[in-house]
């Protein structure tokens, strides 16, 4: 083994050596000066510098018209949803029951659902400038003021609209209040306008959204249609059980999210799409649609133009008069 050769030490101090030999000093000092110790603070400073550069080019707070629209923004989401947003407002109805309609030519029997519109009236608006989207707040029915909360009672008291005589008229408290999204400001109906059964046309398609019947806690066979366990051999008192809830080591020895199991059934919002309007009874406020609508009799149903069908010809639908104007015309 060769002996270790020590590094030659200078005969005079390093400071004097550096002052008298500048060329050698630069070679020895340059690696020491360029070396930087990487600490948490220095790393954070470099990250902040990078963020500052990107912030000057584009950020979610920089909404200059010359910059492109951010894909992950509310404005971009509204642009993507515009083709699927109805151009006009919907209405509220009450499910009264089911019946059947016979075709006089072919004799085909079509099961239908009867819906009734009860004093449906525009309560308010939501605009993109204030709320981020356009919507029409619609109320139906009537509710005693003593059964209405102070917050909603104040909303109805402040909501005023002009009648035919030019005076301000307030809205009566509504039993149900829902909102319907519209595409732009042209779909915002005036406050106080009544929407009756004439709003719908025979032959058009609508989407009916309502809350289905609540079944309480249900097992796997009733809730998801499981076949259950064998009825005879090899099973004891567990014929209606769902069986295994997950695998062993191959699937992580756990129950995967979304596993169909026993639990609460029903009492959820359900939408039935593309229901054809068969009959419209304007004096009684009845709208008959083909097919079934979720929920019990007496439930509230949100009716709106079908998003998967061409929009109806809204120009041919007559304007709904205000209640005060119609009352004044009938009194004359």
């Amino acid at each position: 083994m060769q002996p270790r050769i020590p590094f030659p030490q200078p005969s005079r101090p390093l400071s004097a050596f550096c002052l008298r030999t500048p060329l050698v000093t630069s070679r020895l000092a340059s690696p020491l000066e360029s070396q930087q110790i990487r600490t948490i603070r220095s790393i954070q400073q470099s990250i902040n510098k990078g963020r500052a550069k990107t912030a000057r080019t584009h950020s979610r707070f920089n909404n200059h018209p010359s910059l492109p629209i951010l894909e992950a923004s509310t404005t971009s989401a509204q642009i993507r949803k515009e083709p699927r947003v109805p151009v006009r407002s919907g209405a509220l109805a009450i499910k009264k029951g089911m019946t059947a309609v016979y075709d006089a030519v072919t004799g085909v029997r079509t099961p239908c659902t009867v819906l009734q519109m009860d004093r449906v009236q525009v309560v308010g608006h939501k605009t993109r400038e204030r709320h981020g989207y356009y919507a029409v707040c619609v109320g139906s029915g009537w509710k005693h003021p003593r059964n209405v909360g102070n917050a909603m009672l104040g909303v109805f008291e402040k909501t005023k609209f002009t009648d035919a005589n030019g005076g301000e008229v307030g809205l009566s408290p509504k039993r149900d209040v829902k909102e319907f999204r519209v595409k732009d400001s042209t779909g915002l109906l005036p406050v106080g306008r009544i929407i009756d059964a004439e709003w719908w046309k025979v032959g058009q398609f609508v989407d009916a959204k309502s809350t289905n019947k609540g079944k309480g806690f249900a097992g796997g066979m009733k809730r998801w249609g499981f076949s259950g366990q064998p009825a005879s051999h090899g099973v004891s008192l567990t014929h209606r059980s769902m069986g295994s809830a997950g695998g062993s080591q191959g699937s992580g020895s756990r129950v995967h999210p979304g596993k169909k199991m026993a639990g609460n059934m029903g009492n959820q919002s359900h939408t039935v799409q593309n229901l054809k309007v068969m009959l419209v009874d304007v004096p009684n406020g009845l709208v008959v649609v083909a097919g079934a609508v979720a929920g019990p009799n007496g439930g509230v149903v949100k009716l709106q133009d079908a998003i998967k069908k061409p929009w109806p010809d809204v120009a041919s639908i007559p304007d709904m008069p205000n209640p005060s104007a119609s009352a004044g015309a009938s009194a004359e």
Side-chain angles (χ1 to χ4, degrees), residues 189-203:
L189 300 176
V191 176
R193 178 175 177 176
I194 291 180
I195 303 177
D196 57 8
E198 197 175 3
W199 187 251
W200 311 107
K201 298 171 58 179
V202 176

Side-chain angles (χ1 to χ4, degrees), residues 222-257:
K222 180 178 180 180
R223 190 183 185 194
W224 303 109
F226 292 165
S227 59
Q229 304 299 322
S232 58
H233 300 288
V235 178
S236 299
L237 305 180
T238 58
H239 303 285
R240 297 184 62 85
S241 64
M242 70 172 191
S244 174
S248 182
Q249 184 178 2
S251 59
S253 300
R254 63 192 179 97
V255 179
H256 291 278

